[in-house]
Amino acid sequence: MTVYLHEGDLPDDLDLGPDVAIDSETMGLRFRRDPLCVVQLSSGDGNAHVVRLNRPAYDCPNLKRLLTDPAVTKIFHFGRFDIGMFLLHLGVETRPVYCTKIASKLARTYTDRHGLKDVVRETVGVDLSKAQQSSDWGAAELTQAQLDYAASDVLYLHAARAKLDMMLAREGRTELAARCFDFLPDRSALDLAGWDEIDIFAHS
Amino acid sequence: MTVYLHEGDLPDDLDLGPDVAIDSETMGLRFRRDPLCVVQLSSGDGNAHVVRLNRPAYDCPNLKRLLTDPAVTKIFHFGRFDIGMFLLHLGVETRPVYCTKIASKLARTYTDRHGLKDVVRETVGVDLSKAQQSSDWGAAELTQAQLDYAASDVLYLHAARAKLDMMLAREGRTELAARCFDFLPDRSALDLAGWDEIDIFAHS
Ligand SMILES: Nc1ncnc2c1ncn2[C@@H]1O[C@H](COP(=O)(O)O)[C@@H](OP(=O)(O)O)[C@H]1O
Ligand SMILES: Nc1ncnc2c1ncn2[C@@H]1O[C@H](COP(=O)(O)O)[C@@H](OP(=O)(O)O)[C@H]1O
């Protein structure tokens, strides 16, 4: 496994294929207070690309092109948050997307454990370390432990998706999942517009 | 104002135009326990059509055609529930739709009162009576008070929509609302599939 570190943007000549796993790291969970710092990506080949974004310019045309490319499915775990961060800081609407947390909620009805660690453990058989989850992602130099952690968050999403897609098909929920993925960027837009605490579809 | 009562289905020759207000009455709020009894509709001309459905056959081809007609926007208030009932009992996916409750949540951010009575009072200036809301909609003969109540639930939806659409445009939320309306039938499908208590987009 190789972790490629890129400053500011993806390289010009990198082709990550039609299905790209993506995650991001921020200074925290709060929009507008907590800037987006790092975006990590994988084509599913076992390697990862970690991009340290330049703030506040966020000048990253290659990354933005990938996020909006209609021919590339962006695979997230809890994409709602990352997609919102990309909309806010990069000004792009990320589409089309897949979310392993939503897929897990629709497929793994026998559990309420839909965190990335649980999903990857069961669907891929890999035990992720979450030790670096809370660390300073805004630092000028990322540590090797941070790079490895960032990478591990995208390395297994293709395999998890494959397993979840099999389960969704078996349970007849492929279409329902697709509809949810389609709305996910809109759900993120609602978050940014101020409806983050509100279920817009609830009765009250 | 005239209330037309129909037994089993809409008449063959009725054209309600491209925007039809729809509401329904059931034996209660619980899917599978509480059957769908009555569907009321209005073209926006000040008159209403009340259809007493035949149970359990629900043999109503004209109504089903209207609900699925891509050229007819179905205007609801809290359509999530009605659309779910139509999916369950009539076997049709209602599209395209508009929901005055969702529009109100997106436009009337200065209040948390998004019930039909509140929305119609403020946007149309009409005071709806809710006295017959809880009544026996499965009865063989509907009372005049029930017919008037059923009618009143659809008579003002066009006017409410017009006002809410103006507000949504003013606040720059027309597109956001359209995305929500587009997902609404999928949200109803999730309810029927067993995710009625779960916000599928929530972190946990
Ligand atoms: N309200 C929230 N609670 C917990 N995690 C949240 C969150 N909003 C966004 N997230 C993000 O969702 C990811 C955790 O998902 P899960 O709990 O399903 O494993 C975390 O990303 P990272 O794993 O990149 O740090 C975290 O940043
Ligand atoms: N959980 C819920 N709580 C209250 N009303 C619900 C509901 N689920 C569906 N409804 C329906 O939503 C409508 C009320 O919406 P609101 O409270 O916004 O005015 C009612 O329809 P009717 O008005 O046809 O009886 C009611 O049947």
Side-chain angles (χ1 to χ4, degrees):
Chain A
M1 188 266 280
T2 309
V3 182
Y4 300 93
L5 178 62
H6 306 288
E7 287 297 322
D9 196 4
L10 287 169
D12 286 344
D13 52 357
L14 187 67
D15 182 357
L16 294 171
D19 299 282
V20 180
I22 309 190
D23 189 23
S24 66
E25 304 300 336
T26 63
M27 286 300 287
L29 294 179
R30 200 173 291 216
F31 289 116
R32 294 184 180 88
R33 182 192 70 182
D34 302 326
L36 173 65
C37 301
V38 168
V39 177
Q40 57 268 46
L41 310 92
S42 176
S43 69
D45 65 354
N47 301 312
H49 297 265
V50 176
V51 184
R52 268 192 76 247
L53 297 169
N54 51 49
R55 302 187 270 139
Y58 291 110
D59 179 28
C60 50
N62 294 336
L63 176 60
K64 291 183 192 179
R65 196 174 314 114
L66 179 82
L67 295 176
T68 55
D69 188 337
V72 176
T73 298
K74 276 66 74 173
I75 310 170
F76 294 94
H77 181 80
F78 196 61
R80 176 174 173 174
F81 182 69
D82 308 281
I83 294 165
M85 280 286 173
F86 298 160
L87 183 57
L88 177 61
H89 293 291
L90 312 185
V92 298
E93 196 184 72
T94 306
R95 281 189 195 276
V97 302
Y98 185 101
C99 178
T100 53
K101 189 190 271 287
I102 290 174
S104 176
K105 284 183 171 188
L106 291 174
R108 297 171 65 245
T109 37
Y110 46 83
T111 178
D112 58 359
R113 300 183 73 91
H114 304 291
L116 180 64
K117 193 175 168 64
D118 295 292
V119 171
V120 167
R121 186 196 295 116
E122 188 189 301
T123 61
V124 192
V126 166
D127 233 306
L128 292 179
S129 159
K130 281 277 155 191
Q132 294 296 315
Q133 184 166 33
S134 312
S135 66
D136 180 7
W137 291 100
E141 294 275 331
L142 299 179
T143 65
Q144 189 59 45
Q146 283 181 308
L147 288 177
D148 290 344
Y149 169 76
S152 73
D153 263 3
V154 291
L155 287 178
Y156 308 104
L157 292 183
H158 287 77
R161 176 197 183 176
K163 185 70 195 296
L164 291 166
D165 274 350
M166 273 176 41
M167 295 178 72
L168 286 171
R170 193 188 71 200
E171 302 303 326
R173 298 192 189 123
T174 303
E175 178 63 19
L176 207 52
R179 303 289 187 92
C180 293
F181 302 152
D182 204 47
F183 184 70
L184 189 54
D186 304 312
R187 181 56 264 189
S188 301
L190 282 168
D191 289 340
L192 282 190
W195 278 267
D196 50 317
E197 303 273 317
I198 292 166
D199 177 359
I200 193 75
F201 299 106
H203 179 266
S204 50
Chain B
M1 189 266 280
T2 309
V3 183
Y4 300 92
L5 179 62
H6 306 289
E7 287 297 323
D9 195 4
L10 287 168
D12 286 343
D13 53 356
L14 187 67
D15 182 358
L16 294 170
D19 298 282
V20 179
I22 309 191
D23 188 24
S24 66
E25 304 300 336
T26 63
M27 286 300 288
L29 294 178
R30 200 172 291 216
F31 289 115
R32 292 183 180 91
R33 183 192 69 183
D34 301 326
L36 172 65
C37 300
V38 167
V39 177
Q40 56 268 45
L41 309 94
S42 176
S43 69
D45 65 353
N47 301 312
H49 297 265
V50 176
V51 183
R52 268 193 77 249
L53 296 169
N54 52 50
R55 301 187 272 139
Y58 291 111
D59 178 30
C60 51
N62 293 335
L63 176 60
K64 290 183 192 180
R65 196 175 312 115
L66 179 83
L67 294 176
T68 55
D69 189 337
V72 176
T73 298
K74 276 66 74 172
I75 311 170
F76 293 94
H77 181 81
F78 197 60
R80 177 174 173 174
F81 183 69
D82 308 281
I83 294 164
M85 280 286 173
F86 298 162
L87 183 56
L88 177 60
H89 293 291
L90 312 186
V92 297
E93 196 184 71
T94 305
R95 281 188 196 273
V97 303
Y98 184 102
C99 178
T100 53
K101 188 190 271 287
I102 290 174
S104 175
K105 284 184 169 186
L106 292 174
R108 297 171 65 244
T109 37
Y110 46 84
T111 179
D112 58 359
R113 300 184 73 91
H114 303 291
L116 179 64
K117 193 175 168 65
D118 294 292
V119 171
V120 167
R121 186 196 296 117
E122 187 189 300
T123 60
V124 192
V126 167
D127 231 306
L128 292 179
S129 159
K130 282 276 153 193
Q132 293 297 315
Q133 185 166 30
S134 312
S135 66
D136 180 8
W137 293 99
E141 294 275 331
L142 299 179
T143 65
Q144 189 59 46
Q146 283 181 307
L147 288 177
D148 290 344
Y149 169 77
S152 72
D153 264 2
V154 290
L155 287 178
Y156 308 104
L157 292 183
H158 287 77
R161 176 197 183 175
K163 184 69 195 295
L164 291 166
D165 274 349
M166 273 175 43
M167 297 178 71
L168 287 171
R170 194 187 72 199
E171 303 301 326
R173 299 193 189 121
T174 303
E175 178 63 19
L176 207 52
R179 303 288 187 94
C180 293
F181 301 152
D182 205 45
F183 184 71
L184 189 54
D186 304 312
R187 179 59 265 190
S188 301
L190 281 168
D191 289 340
L192 282 191
W195 280 266
D196 50 317
E197 304 273 317
I198 293 166
D199 177 359
I200 193 75
F201 299 107
H203 179 266
S204 51

